[in-house]
Amino acid sequence: MRDFKTARAPEPNGKWLRLRVKLLACFFVALLLAAFGRAVFLQVFERDKLRGLAQDQYVRQIEIPARRGDIFDRRGTPLAQSVEVDSIWVDPSMLPDVKQASRALARALRLDVEDLQARLTRARRFAWVKRQVTPREVAAVKALGLPGFGFTKEPKRFYPQKELAAHVVGMVGLDGHGLEGLELAFQDELSGQNSRLSGFRDAKGRKLLVTGAPDTLERQGASVTLTIDRHLQYVTEKALSRAVEDSKGVAGMAIVLDPKTGEILAIANHPRFNPNTPEKEARASMRNRAALDSLEPGSTMKAFVVAAALEHKAIKPEDTFFCENGAWNIGRHTIHDTHQYGWLTTQGVLQVSSNICSAKIAQQLGRERLVKAYHDFGFGERTGLALPGEARGSIPFPKAEVSLATQSFGQGMTATAVQMAAAWGALANDGVLMRPYLVSRVVDPDGVVLLENRPTEVRQVVSAATARKVISMLESVVAKGGTAPKAAMEDYRVAGKTGTAQKADPVARGYSDKRLASFVGVLPAENPRAVILVIVDEPKTDVYGGLVAAPAFKEIATAAMAHLAVPPSREVPLPSTALPVAAAQPPSKAETVRSVVEEAITENVEPGSVRVPDVVGQAGREAVTKLLSAALEPQLLGSGRVVSQSPAAGSLVEKGARVTLELATRQ
């Protein structure tokens, strides 16, 4: 039988076994060395890079936007402020159903469903849902109970006066950058400096501050104070809007300027817009026409032609001029007057606004001196209001005789409304042109004055005697027989000039049948405190400045004189209902004692304060006039006659305070 033990395979060679063990040991040692080398490389050479990658996952640089500086009127009333509001964002990757979530969000926030869904689909980890929302909208989103939403505070610009001075103040976009007006012009000063802080990000991507929020003063912009008076601005805007709407015009401009300092107290435009809701406004309504648009001013320029001719002794005040009975041929062109005039004095030329005689005065003055006079009065150069896009205007040299004639009555040249008001301010200020300005000062949060404007004399345009003579002549314009008797005032002497300019047609390269109706006046004429310019663009009911713009001037002037506390030029006449002196009864003893007591004990009213007059029972227009005369701002609720007022009659309030009137019609 075979022996299996003797048939067993021989043992493997011990040498090969040891070799395999060594190879396997070397392999593991090599792996350990490689791992050790990799660890050394990452810890020593790649340490900074890896630390940055790690911090990038949980550490974030959080930018804290600065609070935008405020804008105030001359009395400290805020025209623009910043408030903290919520903005909503979402991590789309955490939404279970983007389409369904978009529909729910669109209903809660009144957004376009398709646009919102497209934004959430494109984004990976972050997308804005809606910025600068109301508390009600925040509550509506939280009520949906959807995951991935975050709420962050952002500064929002708020304009508490709404449409008031909106064209001057301008507006900002969602990112807080100025888009129009002074918001754009003073972007760097108002915006302040954003802060950057380090913070952590949690597992849901929410940002967490670890050092606390910085001081608000450190991230607040500078404040800007304007020369505008809120009360006069309100009155000017209301009067201008009424003039444009009553005449069915397309637009309007109005300016109130202090001729002695150059301060612009009011600058109004129509149509108006609300900067709090710019998306609802037409783009054209946001344009500050008074500063940015250049126009052909028309006959208001005749005052400067006469002033320059008197200054250079080209004419005398007593000179007379033949007005060609209404038509004068210059080459193949004919200059017309609105009426047929024969001989007129220098004052008569201004009073009836004769184009023909104005052209003859310009001929005696000469081309060079006419152009120089216009430039000396500030035309053809920017006034430097700090508003972006301010127009320069144009004074072309009149080579042809007909160009000299048309420029003498404000056609064939352009100017801005601000330039016109400033030039008239020179006549009202004894011939001294003052630089007009809107911004009085810019102050940073620490109280450091970054910019301060003061009254600045530009040049002496004409002598004081010439300026006073022209102002005296211009008083005849508002008298009977002048072109603007509707601008005359009972208590104040008014000097002014009307303008009715044809508008150029850029397509036909000529003049159209559209007009610019204007009136500019200074008052009181003996010591001017205000220059008021009103322009109505394309009026339909009437085209003459004396009929369209002069009533608005009178409304503004009435309120301005009361608000500025300017004493009347003349004694106020007694009312027609006053008793004759002979019919008056002698006062009783009790009345005599009472009058003596009332005369001896007078109320000391604090400066800048007024008592609210009693207007209950009066018609709305009568009540408004009475409140404006008392330097108060009326606010009407309803129509008809006044049934109640707040504050009550006799209350002591600050000048410019708002008085709410409730009106109702009799049943």
Side-chain angles (χ1 to χ4, degrees):
M1 186 174 185
R2 187 175 178 181
D3 188 359
F4 289 98
K5 292 183 179 181
T6 57
R8 189 172 53 185
E11 292 284 340
N13 194 327
K15 182 175 67 175
W16 294 109
L17 179 61
R18 288 193 297 271
L19 179 61
R20 286 198 299 268
V21 171
K22 290 180 181 179
L23 289 175
L24 188 60
C26 291
F27 174 74
F28 281 108
V29 169
L31 286 178
L32 289 174
L33 290 175
F36 179 75
R38 180 63 177 169
V40 171
F41 176 77
L42 293 177
Q43 290 291 330
V44 177
F45 300 101
E46 294 285 314
R47 180 181 58 183
D48 295 336
K49 178 181 177 181
L50 294 176
R51 180 183 296 169
L53 291 174
Q55 290 179 348
D56 187 58
Q57 294 183 7
Y58 64 88
V59 177
R60 282 290 181 268
Q61 286 292 320
I62 303 174
E63 185 171 9
I64 307 297
R67 182 182 182 277
R68 196 171 179 86
D70 299 335
I71 300 178
F72 303 98
D73 83 333
R74 67 187 299 114
R75 300 179 187 274
T77 301
L79 301 176
Q81 293 179 304
S82 293
V83 294
E84 295 287 331
V85 297
D86 286 305
S87 290
I88 305 173
W89 57 273
V90 67
D91 182 351
S93 65
M94 299 183 66
L95 293 175
D97 189 338
V98 173
K99 187 175 182 180
Q100 184 177 355
S102 299
R103 290 177 181 174
L105 288 171
R107 284 194 302 268
L109 301 176
R110 297 180 182 179
L111 298 174
D112 181 78
V113 179
E114 296 181 357
D115 176 66
L116 179 59
Q117 183 178 345
R119 287 193 286 113
L120 297 185
T121 304
R122 287 194 304 267
R124 293 183 178 179
R125 299 301 302 270
F126 177 88
W128 285 113
V129 178
K130 189 175 182 180
R131 301 178 69 179
Q132 299 182 358
V133 297
T134 63
R136 182 178 299 177
E137 290 174 322
V138 171
V141 172
K142 289 182 178 179
L144 296 176
L146 296 172
F149 281 90
F151 304 88
T152 184
K153 293 289 185 181
E154 283 192 308
K156 179 182 180 181
R157 204 59 164 166
F158 174 63
Y159 303 92
Q161 308 301 324
K162 299 181 181 179
E163 294 90 351
L164 194 76
H167 296 90
V168 176
V169 175
M171 62 181 183
V172 300
L174 280 176
D175 57 359
H177 291 279
L179 300 178
E180 297 285 350
L182 294 174
E183 294 276 29
L184 174 60
F186 288 89
Q187 166 63 26
D188 293 339
E189 292 83 357
L190 287 167
S191 60
Q193 196 166 8
N194 294 349
S195 303
R196 297 186 68 86
L197 299 176
S198 295
F200 293 132
R201 188 177 68 167
D202 65 7
K204 292 186 177 181
R206 293 173 297 193
K207 297 175 182 178
L208 306 173
L209 283 177
V210 293
T211 58
D215 187 4
T216 50
L217 281 179
E218 295 181 359
R219 25 180 219 102
Q220 183 172 340
S223 63
V224 177
T225 302
L226 309 183
T227 61
I228 285 178
D229 187 294
R230 172 180 172 272
H231 174 71
L232 291 182
Q233 181 72 23
Y234 173 83
V235 172
T236 303
E237 289 186 6
K238 289 295 185 183
L240 176 65
S241 297
R242 187 177 296 111
V244 174
E245 291 168 2
D246 290 348
S247 64
K248 299 180 180 179
V250 299
M253 296 158 271
I255 294 174
V256 181
L257 177 138
D258 186 336
K260 298 184 184 300
T261 63
E263 294 174 293
I264 295 179
L265 304 179
I267 177 168
N269 292 269
H270 185 88
R272 304 161 75 192
F273 80 99
N274 188 346
N276 291 310
T277 56
E279 66 279 357
K280 299 180 181 179
E281 308 288 348
R283 185 66 183 173
S285 67
M286 301 179 186
R287 185 169 179 80
N288 188 354
R289 299 168 182 262
L292 307 185
D293 286 4
S294 55
L295 48 90
E296 297 191 27
S299 295
T300 53
M301 302 297 292
K302 292 174 183 175
F304 308 121
V305 177
V306 171
L310 291 172
E311 181 71 12
H312 290 285
K313 297 181 171 53
I315 63 171
K316 298 177 181 178
E318 61 271 15
D319 286 350
T320 58
F321 305 89
F322 183 56
C323 298
E324 306 292 340
N325 294 316
W328 185 37
N329 294 324
I330 300 181
R332 57 189 181 88
H333 300 278
T334 304
I335 305 297
H336 296 278
D337 279 340
T338 54
H339 297 86
Q340 295 181 3
Y341 302 113
W343 290 91
L344 292 175
T345 63
T346 305
Q347 177 175 305
V349 173
L350 294 173
Q351 182 178 13
V352 301
S353 194
S354 170
N355 294 335
I356 294 171
C357 289
S358 180
K360 289 188 174 183
I361 293 175
Q363 281 186 340
Q364 293 185 225
L365 177 62
R367 292 176 173 81
E368 291 80 5
R369 290 192 295 193
L370 175 66
V371 173
K372 184 179 184 304
Y374 280 162
H375 281 288
D376 287 345
F377 274 104
F379 297 103
E381 60 185 30
R382 292 186 178 90
T383 59
L385 283 185
L387 289 173
E390 182 187 3
R392 180 188 297 273
S394 175
I395 310 292
F397 188 83
K399 297 180 180 179
E401 287 292 330
V402 68
S403 299
L404 176 63
T406 56
Q407 282 195 21
S408 70
F409 49 83
Q411 302 272 188
M413 57 166 290
T414 60
T416 67
V418 175
Q419 288 175 335
M420 294 167 62
W424 271 81
L427 286 179
N429 190 35
D430 290 338
V432 178
L433 177 66
M434 303 297 292
R435 180 178 66 85
Y437 63 99
L438 265 171
V439 178
S440 61
R441 55 169 37 195
V442 180
V443 183
D444 73 3
D446 296 326
V448 179
V449 178
L450 304 179
L451 171 68
E452 186 170 17
N453 285 319
R454 296 182 179 275
T456 304
E457 294 185 8
V458 179
R459 66 181 71 90
Q460 181 86 39
V461 184
V462 295
S463 66
T466 298
R468 292 171 188 164
K469 185 64 180 176
V470 173
I471 291 294
S472 177
M473 291 180 177
L474 289 168
E475 288 190 69
S476 65
V477 173
V478 302
K480 186 177 180 180
T483 56
K486 290 190 174 184
M489 301 177 67
E490 291 183 3
D491 303 338
Y492 298 93
R493 290 168 53 188
V494 177
K497 186 71 188 73
T498 56
T500 306
Q502 290 179 279
K503 293 186 67 174
D505 188 338
V507 178
R509 296 191 176 183
Y511 285 97
S512 65
D513 58 350
K514 299 175 181 177
R515 298 289 191 273
L516 278 170
S518 61
F519 180 83
V520 56
V522 301
L523 75 163
E526 73 280 5
N527 183 25
R529 291 288 306 278
V531 174
I532 302 174
L533 168 67
V534 180
I535 301 175
V536 178
D537 191 3
E538 297 183 20
K540 304 295 188 305
T541 56
D542 288 297
V543 297
Y544 298 108
L547 300 175
V548 176
F553 161 85
K554 184 175 181 179
E555 182 178 346
I556 298 169
T558 301
M561 293 298 98
H563 185 64
L564 298 176
V566 179
S569 302
R570 55 179 72 91
E571 291 292 334
V572 180
L574 288 174
S576 58
T577 56
L579 293 174
V581 176
Q585 298 293 328
S588 64
K589 184 177 181 180
E591 291 174 341
T592 304
V593 172
R594 184 164 57 249
S595 64
V596 170
V597 172
E598 289 174 351
E599 187 175 0
I601 303 175
T602 59
E603 180 184 24
N604 293 323
V605 179
E606 185 178 348
S609 300
V610 293
R611 287 212 173 273
V612 179
D614 186 5
V615 294
V616 174
Q618 298 182 5
R621 185 177 292 274
E622 296 174 359
V624 168
T625 303
K626 193 170 183 179
L627 290 175
L628 291 177
S629 299
L632 296 172
E633 178 187 326
Q635 182 180 25
L636 305 182
L637 302 176
S639 61
R641 290 187 173 273
V642 180
V643 295
S644 67
Q645 66 179 75
S646 178
S651 302
L652 191 61
V653 298
E654 185 181 354
K655 278 188 176 181
R658 178 175 296 179
V659 179
T660 303
L661 306 179
E662 184 178 352
L663 286 71
T665 55
R666 293 180 178 177
Q667 300 297 329

